[in-house]
Amino acid sequence: MAKLTSILDNDFYKFTMQYAVVKLFPKAKARYQFINRGKHQFPEGFAERFREAVNNMANLKLSKAEKIYFSKTCPYIDPTYFDFLQGYQYDPEEVKIAQHGSELSVKIEGYWYRTILWEVPLMALICELFYEMQDEKRVSDVEVKHIVNQKMNKYDKLQITIADFGTRRRHSYAVHDLVLDALKDHASNTFIGTSNVHFAMKYQTKPIGTHAHEWFMFHAAKYGYKMANLLGLENWSNVYRGDLGIALSDTYTTEVFFKQFDKKLSKLFDGVRHDSGDPIEFAQKTMAHYESKGINPLNKTIIFSDGLDYDKVEKIVNFCQDKIGYSFGIGTDFTNDVGLKRMNIVLKMTEALPEDAEWTPVIKLSDEPNKHTGDADEILVAKRFLNIIPHA
């Protein structure tokens, strides 16, 4: 049965954001909601099985070995955080689960510093349990590794660097483990790390990540849409002082982001992450932005992470080569390429409660309109407020 075995089986940026939230917004609260983008039909009894898996997460604890590894790997995080994490326990009461026919409802509510860790492992459990209950046969363990090596042989020829970003929509823990084993054994320097801290520790590679959309969504709830990117990045740099320097650019569209990404921040951050919209257009806008600030784009990096496969990566490399730095985060194309239909699900923050304020709807304005999340009326308000053209 689908079950997590380590509290570190989560994306690195969840922990880095948690540390920042503990420092800056310890009284803030948040609400999250499951979104079934792929319209998957959940089998009868799914909610009960999922509830059991979520309840089991209350038993996860940071081990002494995990604490030592994590603190040594991240010297820029205060020791007090690792003491906090050692005492942290998931509270299943923060997660409300219901099923109506084949539709699944998952809602989370609680202090932001606590609830921030739920999203990724819940999505991983939903995927694993879904495949488990469908009882559809995946390719063999040997074939999983063969597929990874075939892909890596092609990526090697592009002379690029790649990280695994596939925790949230992986087929299963077992497949993820096989993928990391194959990546680590592959005889090249192409693979540089994983977003999953547990697997980074297990395979002695680098945990990779910085922050996610919810960081800026909360800042919009607290400070308003026009200040969300600027203050989000200012607060991030105040906490990390130059470490973890890749800025996420598309919470309120790239156009809006670059208006707020001033010269100081453009110089301070090592680069930006692309997560929606056309990657070539994004690269062009990014290079133009840096050049307008008198910054050589070759001294900066774009991390591409939006639904990547080999063809998309090759196209990006052919455009960006000798123009700007680049690296790639590959998700489900590594961890859910097992001969079955991949799941398309997300779990997003929907409301935030800053200290001494009130519950405020939060939204994400992706560079792809069909990836917008949040209340439709609030999306229109944000677009008007940010002067976003109607088709954006």
Side-chain angles (χ1 to χ4, degrees):
M1 178 188 160
K3 184 178 179 181
L4 296 183
T5 58
S6 169
I7 201 167
L8 295 186
D9 189 0
N10 205 331
D11 277 346
F12 182 53
Y13 67 24
K14 283 293 178 173
F15 298 107
T16 58
M17 287 192 298
Q18 185 183 49
Y19 171 59
V21 172
V22 168
K23 283 181 78 79
L24 301 179
F25 309 111
K27 294 183 180 180
K29 292 185 178 181
R31 289 174 177 157
Y32 300 78
Q33 193 163 325
F34 173 70
I35 303 168
N36 184 4
R37 281 184 181 158
K39 309 295 183 189
H40 305 285
Q41 303 289 301
F42 288 90
E44 186 179 345
F46 186 91
E48 288 78 10
R49 294 273 297 275
F50 183 45
R51 177 82 262 171
E52 186 180 348
V54 171
N55 288 346
N56 284 333
M57 289 176 66
N59 300 319
L60 296 175
K61 295 279 285 183
L62 188 74
S63 71
K64 186 175 181 181
E66 288 174 330
K67 183 182 180 183
I68 291 169
Y69 162 79
F70 207 174
S71 59
K72 280 186 176 178
T73 304
C74 305
Y76 43 80
I77 295 180
D78 294 340
T80 50
Y81 171 71
F82 300 107
D83 286 342
F84 158 80
L85 192 59
Q86 193 172 31
Y88 177 92
Q89 281 182 284
Y90 283 107
D91 180 1
E93 290 187 9
E94 293 168 347
V95 183
K96 307 301 179 190
I97 302 166
Q99 184 172 357
H100 304 285
S102 61
E103 293 185 11
L104 179 70
S105 169
V106 183
K107 296 181 179 180
I108 304 162
E109 181 179 329
Y111 282 105
W112 189 25
Y113 77 85
R114 292 191 46 79
T115 55
I116 200 165
L117 291 190
W118 280 115
E119 176 193 350
V120 175
L122 288 190
M123 287 179 63
L125 282 171
I126 288 170
C127 288
E128 180 160 0
L129 192 56
F130 181 82
Y131 292 118
E132 198 176 276
M133 293 182 72
Q134 295 287 359
D135 200 27
E136 294 178 304
K137 191 171 177 60
R138 66 167 171 86
V139 300
S140 69
D141 291 2
V142 172
E143 185 65 13
V144 169
K145 288 189 170 187
H146 178 66
I147 290 168
V148 171
N149 277 306
Q150 280 187 315
K151 289 175 181 176
M152 289 300 288
N153 287 335
K154 294 172 73 175
Y155 286 132
D156 289 344
K157 293 174 184 174
L158 296 178
Q159 297 183 306
I160 58 176
T161 54
I162 281 176
D164 153 53
F165 279 15
T167 302
R168 64 189 59 221
R169 284 182 286 266
R170 66 193 184 194
H171 171 273
S172 58
Y173 176 91
V175 166
H176 201 172
D177 195 24
L178 290 165
V179 168
L180 263 295
D181 193 27
L183 288 170
K184 195 64 169 46
D185 281 349
H186 188 78
S188 76
N189 295 319
T190 303
F191 172 65
I192 57 169
T194 173
S195 64
N196 187 293
V197 184
H198 164 68
F199 284 120
M201 178 179 172
K202 181 174 181 179
Y203 289 101
Q204 291 301 293
T205 187
K206 185 180 179 183
I208 290 177
T210 52
H211 48 242
H213 296 106
E214 68 181 285
W215 182 252
F216 301 98
M217 291 159 77
F218 174 83
H219 279 76
K222 186 168 176 65
Y223 302 111
Y225 292 113
K226 289 199 172 181
M227 298 301 290
N229 286 316
L230 179 65
L231 291 179
L233 294 177
E234 287 279 5
N235 278 332
W236 193 258
S237 65
N238 287 339
V239 171
Y240 285 106
R241 313 300 297 172
D243 282 303
L244 304 178
I246 296 294
L248 183 58
S249 58
D250 71 333
T251 311
Y252 301 110
T253 74
T254 294
E255 296 280 356
V256 170
F257 173 82
F258 281 132
K259 289 175 186 174
Q260 300 174 351
F261 197 45
D262 63 18
K263 188 166 187 175
K264 171 191 163 184
L265 293 170
S266 296
K267 286 193 166 188
L268 176 62
F269 280 80
D270 301 321
V272 293
R273 179 159 75 92
H274 170 262
D275 198 49
S276 66
D278 184 274
I280 304 304
E281 286 181 21
F282 178 81
Q284 290 171 324
K285 288 176 184 177
T286 303
M287 290 186 289
H289 172 79
Y290 281 130
E291 286 165 354
S292 74
K293 303 296 182 188
I295 298 168
N296 183 350
L298 285 169
N299 294 330
K300 298 294 180 178
T301 299
I302 301 176
I303 307 294
F304 292 94
S305 63
D306 179 34
L308 299 179
D309 57 22
Y310 176 80
D311 291 340
K312 202 168 179 181
V313 170
E314 183 185 37
K315 182 181 176 185
I316 292 167
V317 171
N318 288 339
F319 178 80
C320 292
Q321 204 161 26
D322 301 321
K323 297 175 186 172
I324 192 167
Y326 47 83
S327 188
F328 300 89
I330 311 284
T332 49
D333 198 49
F334 272 150
T335 60
N336 205 347
D337 189 3
V338 296
L340 302 174
K341 183 181 178 182
R342 300 172 188 179
M343 294 197 78
N344 184 8
I345 59 173
V346 293
L347 216 166
K348 291 291 182 186
M349 182 189 283
T350 55
E351 293 177 84
L353 178 60
E355 184 180 357
D356 299 327
E358 56 193 25
W359 283 107
T360 304
V362 296
I363 53 107
K364 177 170 84 81
L365 299 179
S366 167
D367 285 333
E368 290 177 30
N370 64 357
K371 287 179 76 174
H372 292 346
T373 64
D375 179 76
D377 291 337
E378 189 65 22
I379 286 172
L380 289 175
V381 169
K383 283 183 173 182
R384 283 198 293 268
F385 203 69
L386 293 169
N387 299 316
I388 295 173
I389 52 177
H391 64 74

